[in-house]
């Protein structure tokens, strides 16, 4: 969209807003979704110019405008559209809608049986989700005056497109979802297997993983589940969890569980070459809750090609999964979906708190993860948590890796690489 076309679209939106005097939860949601789409469709120079807007100007103007909207109904800032300040006025309008909708969202968030249905706008183009972790621009560091729209456009809601890069975005809300709580630091756990060996079959030049071998795997899984019991989320690596091992993990979680103090928790239980409900073989992983109950399944989107064995004998997934928990909003993916630098970074378009990645590969794979994760953190203030199993046929490089925040390196893990804001750790066998 050119600058002239974008200006016309903003003027049309401003005129439409002026005709809608009444406000309510659904109208605020729809206005916010539309305004967010408008801001994200702005020409590159306008999006860059957002970084020049002073946070104090946006927030103070939004607070004044919110009171005026409550008293006089919906309208554009300053009562009329002005081309010379369209970027600032759109930023103020978005922040105003974000503030007003916060009060309506509190009751909708958890008390209705299917809150995700109420988060989708009427056009079916966006989800407007009450955030578990409000954005707070760090004004003392000047961050609020240099940050782009993605970091501070909305403070209390995350607006997520229902389609990203041609992939459907599917929301999943655990059955135990309750009202929002004060956010606490998130704790993640990763599990990998020493001396793991995989069996695979040649399928006309493609490969299918057919078996997994590891000494004392039953005991190891129980130890792993016990070790991550205090975590908010845990990840097992790609192509390491067949149906038998999945049953062991679920059984161990049933007895041990994650976050038993709250009953909250999310587990990405590895992945395996499986046939889905439509009879299509995919690289597929389950997402479990704290007690091992299945929340949903997701499939690897980008199929991996191995130098000798060929590509996976699997069909790529067609949707992106987003999970909304009490304490955080997460997305999940598998290996190349995240590390592939040849494609646009889908996860940069997804305003979640953390992206959980189950991976299998070598140091080069991990380099891709590190680049993507750093981009998410520095460019969008989001975290990635990657757990990678050493590639089974790289006999000279069987190392398992955990990509995590650098605050401290846990016991039994040796730090091998550091790149703020992440540390790449080697998991010792």
């Amino acid at each position: 969209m050119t600058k002239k076309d974008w200006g016309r679209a903003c003027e049309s939106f401003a005129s439409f807003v002026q005709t809608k005097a009444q406000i309510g939860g659904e109208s605020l949601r729809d206005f916010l979704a539309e305004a967010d789409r408008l801001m994200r469709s702005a020409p590159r120079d306008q999006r860059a110019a957002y970084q020049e807007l002073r946070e104090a100007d946006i927030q103070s103007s939004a607070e004044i405008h919110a009171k005026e909207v409550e008293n006089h109904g919906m309208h554009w800032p300053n009562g009329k559209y002005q081309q010379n300040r369209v970027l600032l006025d759109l930023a103020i309008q978005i922040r105003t809608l974000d503030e007003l909708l916060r009060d309506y969202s509190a009751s909708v968030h958890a008390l209705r049986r299917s809150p995700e249905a109420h988060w989708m706008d009427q056009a079916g183009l966006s989800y407007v989700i009450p955030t578990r972790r409000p954005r707070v621009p760090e004004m003392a560091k000047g961050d609020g005056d240099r940050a782009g729209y993605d970091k501070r456009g909305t403070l209390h809601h995350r607006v997520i497109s229902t389609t990203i890069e041609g992939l459907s975005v599917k929301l999943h809300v655990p059955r135990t979802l309750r009202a929002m709580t004060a956010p606490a630091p998130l704790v993640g756990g990763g599990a990998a297997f020493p001396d793991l060996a995989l069996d695979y079959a040649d399928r006309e030049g493609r490969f299918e993983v057919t078996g997994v071998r590891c000494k004392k795997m039953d005991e190891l899984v129980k130890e792993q589940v016990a070790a991550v019991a205090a975590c908010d989320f845990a990840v097992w690596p790609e192509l390491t969890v067949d149906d038998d091992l999945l049953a062991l993990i679920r059984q161990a979680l049933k007895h041990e569980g994650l976050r038993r103090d709250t009953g909250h928790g999310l587990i990405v239980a590895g992945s395996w070459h499986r046939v889905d409900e439509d009879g299509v073989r995919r690289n597929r992983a389950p997402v479990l809750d704290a007690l091992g109950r299945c929340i949903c399944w997701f499939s690897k989107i980008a199929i991996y090609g191995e130098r000798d064995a060929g590509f996976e004998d699997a069909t790529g997934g067609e949707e992106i999964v987003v999970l909304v928990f009490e304490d955080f909003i997460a997305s999940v993916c598998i290996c190349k979906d995240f590390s592939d630098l040849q494609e646009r970074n889908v996860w940069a378009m997804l305003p979640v708190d953390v992206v959980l990645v189950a991976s299998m590969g070598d140091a080069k794979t991990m380099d891709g993860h590190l680049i993507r994760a750093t981009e998410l953190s520095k460019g969008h203030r989001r975290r990635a948590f990657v757990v990678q199993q050493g590639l089974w046929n790289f006999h000279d490089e069987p190392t398992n890796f955990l990509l995590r925040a650098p605050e401290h390196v846990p016991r039994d893990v040796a730090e091998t690489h550091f790149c703020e804001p992440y540390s790449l750790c080697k998991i010792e066998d």
Side-chain angles (χ1 to χ4, degrees):
M1 187 181 292
T2 66
K3 186 174 181 179
K4 183 179 291 186
D5 290 338
W6 184 70
R8 291 194 188 110
C10 290
E11 185 173 9
S12 176
F13 178 65
S15 299
F16 178 71
V17 165
Q18 294 287 118
T19 67
K20 303 293 181 181
Q22 299 299 318
I23 63 172
E26 292 185 358
S27 63
L28 289 170
R29 175 202 64 197
D30 292 348
F31 280 136
L32 180 54
E34 180 61 29
D36 178 85
R37 288 192 291 270
L38 199 54
M39 183 64 82
R40 293 184 186 282
S41 68
R44 179 69 178 83
D45 65 309
Q46 292 297 298
R47 294 201 305 274
Y50 190 100
Q51 299 177 31
E52 302 176 34
L53 300 180
R54 294 182 65 249
E55 177 60 26
D57 292 342
I58 296 175
Q59 187 59 30
S60 61
S61 298
E63 291 172 359
I64 294 171
H65 187 46
K67 292 178 181 178
E68 293 175 347
V69 169
E70 288 182 313
N71 292 330
H72 305 293
M74 186 63 64
H75 60 278
W76 192 250
N78 299 308
K80 62 179 181 178
Y81 176 83
Q82 301 177 66
Q83 181 62 43
N84 64 341
R85 50 173 292 152
V86 58
L87 183 67
L88 176 59
D89 282 348
L90 182 57
I92 293 169
Q93 187 75 5
I94 288 172
R95 189 69 66 81
T96 298
L97 294 165
D98 181 48
E99 294 281 346
L100 292 172
L101 185 57
R102 174 182 54 178
D103 297 331
Y104 286 91
S105 296
S107 60
V108 172
H109 175 72
L111 301 182
R112 296 185 178 181
R113 177 165 298 185
S114 301
E116 63 271 29
H118 300 279
W119 295 336
M120 183 185 288
D121 70 339
Q122 190 174 23
L125 298 176
S126 301
Y127 296 107
V128 180
I129 306 173
T131 182
R132 337 326 278 146
R133 296 176 177 273
R135 297 181 175 107
V136 181
E138 299 179 34
M139 301 304 299
K141 299 180 181 179
D143 187 35
D145 292 336
R146 295 195 302 272
Y149 176 76
D150 211 32
K151 285 186 175 181
R152 60 180 174 124
T154 59
L155 304 183
H156 306 291
H157 296 83
R158 304 292 173 87
V159 183
I160 299 178
S161 297
T162 56
T163 304
I164 296 177
E165 291 285 277
L167 300 169
S168 298
V169 176
K170 178 68 173 176
L171 283 192
H172 291 276
V173 182
R175 69 187 75 174
T176 57
L177 187 66
R178 299 180 303 201
M180 289 181 286
T181 57
L186 295 176
V187 179
F193 299 96
D195 302 319
L196 182 80
L198 297 183
D199 300 318
Y200 67 97
D202 186 300
R203 306 295 190 196
E204 299 180 350
R206 304 177 79 91
F207 73 91
E208 176 191 357
V209 175
T210 57
V212 58
R213 289 174 279 121
C214 181
K215 294 179 180 178
K216 299 181 179 179
M217 185 166 274
D218 294 21
E219 297 178 14
L220 186 58
V221 164
K222 292 178 182 178
E223 292 174 2
Q224 290 172 339
V225 171
V228 300
C231 296
D232 295 282
F233 51 79
V235 179
W236 271 260
E238 176 188 20
L239 291 176
T240 59
V241 181
D242 61 10
D243 291 342
D244 291 338
L245 186 56
L246 175 59
L248 286 174
I249 292 174
R250 296 186 67 175
Q251 186 65 23
L253 285 168
K254 184 177 179 180
H255 292 288
E256 187 72 36
L258 263 66
R259 297 293 307 274
R260 293 197 73 89
D261 56 331
T262 63
H264 311 159
L266 183 161
I267 300 94
V268 178
S271 78
W272 197 249
H273 285 154
R274 295 181 171 95
V275 174
D276 67 12
E277 59 273 9
D278 296 320
V280 179
R281 181 182 292 110
R282 303 184 191 273
N283 187 336
R284 196 158 164 79
V287 178
L288 310 177
D289 70 7
L291 299 178
R293 297 170 297 195
C294 186
I295 298 172
C296 67
W297 291 82
F298 69 100
S299 299
K300 186 178 183 180
I301 298 163
I303 299 305
Y304 170 70
E306 205 277 327
R307 187 181 308 150
D308 300 317
F311 283 88
E312 298 175 70
D313 186 28
T315 300
E318 300 168 4
E319 67 179 23
I320 297 169
V321 167
V322 172
L323 299 112
V324 182
F325 278 71
E326 281 83 355
D327 303 324
F328 59 95
I329 302 173
S331 188
V332 290
C333 63
I334 299 173
C335 197
K336 190 179 175 182
D337 295 343
F338 192 73
S339 67
D340 189 358
L341 302 179
Q342 300 180 78
E343 295 292 338
R344 293 176 64 186
N345 188 354
V346 170
W347 316 103
M349 308 174 200
L350 205 62
V352 298
D353 297 305
V354 62
V355 179
L356 306 180
V357 187
S359 180
M360 175 176 280
D362 55 14
K364 186 181 294 186
T365 310
M366 208 66 213
D367 286 343
H369 288 315
L370 185 60
I371 291 170
R372 286 301 199 203
T374 303
E375 178 185 348
L376 280 188
S377 181
K378 289 182 176 294
H380 306 276
R381 200 176 287 138
R382 299 168 200 155
R383 284 290 184 183
F385 187 83
V386 183
V387 178
Q388 177 170 296
Q389 181 74 37
L391 200 61
W392 75 91
N393 62 345
F394 267 63
H395 301 298
D396 59 339
E397 194 182 331
T399 307
N400 301 322
F401 287 108
L402 173 68
L403 184 64
R404 58 182 303 282
E407 284 77 12
H408 66 279
V409 179
R411 290 175 299 176
D412 302 324
V413 172
E415 186 173 5
T416 58
H417 182 71
F418 180 79
C419 179
E420 200 283 327
Y422 287 95
S423 55
L424 178 59
C425 306
K426 173 183 174 183
I427 303 176
E428 300 287 5
D429 296 341

